[in-house]
Amino acid sequence: MRCERRRRASRSIARLPTGAGWPLPREAGLRSQEAQADEILSMIATQKKDFNQAYQLLNQSLRIYDEIGASFNVTLEKSNLAHLARQLGRYDEALAYYRETILAFRDIGQAGAVAHQLECIGFIAEAQDRVGQAVQLFAAAESLRESNATPMTP
């Protein structure tokens, strides 16, 4: 039963439009919903392995959130862009985003998010054969989690 639901959901997702978000929020002037639609479509594009489309949609969502002053969402989108850049091997770009998001998450007291960003930088260090630095980053993330009682996200 569960497998059949997943197959139906996958077929439904495959039929969703891609491109410049869903037209209804844009036409209604609902900027936040427009950004959310772009964000959802970027996730779908990532699942389809259309990373260029995902990247464009995330940047579009980031731009909208920035325009409407949704600073927390801006930070989340920069984190999402960092993850995508890391997956694409664009490590310098990912590191720039991670450094920025670490500061933003720190400033709003999101220790778990800071730890996650440190782990992601650790993955980059590991991919670049800087194993010692990767271990230090993973240890720092774990220490931060323990001292703030913030469990690792699944």
Side-chain angles (χ1 to χ4, degrees), residues 3-147:
C3 291
E4 178 58 30
R5 277 187 275 166
R6 284 185 186 158
R7 275 194 289 276
R8 277 188 265 146
S10 293
R11 286 191 298 265
S12 296
I13 288 171
R15 289 191 303 266
L16 288 174
T18 56
W22 290 316
L24 184 59
R26 185 175 52 252
E27 290 169 6
L30 303 170
R31 303 289 286 154
S32 180
Q33 287 78 2
E34 182 182 351
Q36 290 170 356
D38 287 336
E39 188 175 359
I40 291 166
L41 290 171
S42 77
M43 291 180 217
I44 294 168
T46 299
Q47 290 298 315
K48 291 180 173 182
K49 306 237 184 285
D50 188 351
F51 299 116
N52 289 328
Q53 180 71 18
Y55 196 79
Q56 289 173 351
L57 288 162
L58 280 175
N59 270 305
Q60 192 167 301
S61 179
L62 171 65
R63 180 185 50 76
I64 293 168
Y65 282 134
D66 192 42
E67 287 173 3
I68 64 174
S71 59
F72 184 72
N73 295 85
V74 167
T75 301
L76 291 176
E77 291 302 49
K78 287 180 179 181
S79 179
N80 288 334
L81 281 164
H83 298 327
L84 186 56
R86 177 175 51 87
Q87 290 173 325
L88 295 173
R90 294 157 60 173
Y91 298 135
D92 290 339
E93 183 179 347
L95 287 169
Y97 279 125
Y98 284 134
R99 287 182 186 110
E100 190 176 343
T101 57
I102 283 174
L103 296 175
F105 284 133
R106 180 203 62 195
D107 291 347
I108 60 173
Q110 295 290 321
V114 171
H116 179 69
Q117 303 301 284
L118 290 171
E119 290 164 345
C120 291
I121 294 171
F123 295 137
I124 291 172
E126 184 179 30
Q128 294 176 330
D129 292 324
R130 293 180 285 120
V131 178
Q133 184 182 19
V135 169
Q136 288 178 331
L137 287 159
F138 294 140
E142 182 60 24
S143 176
L144 184 59
R145 286 184 197 289
E146 286 177 8
S147 66

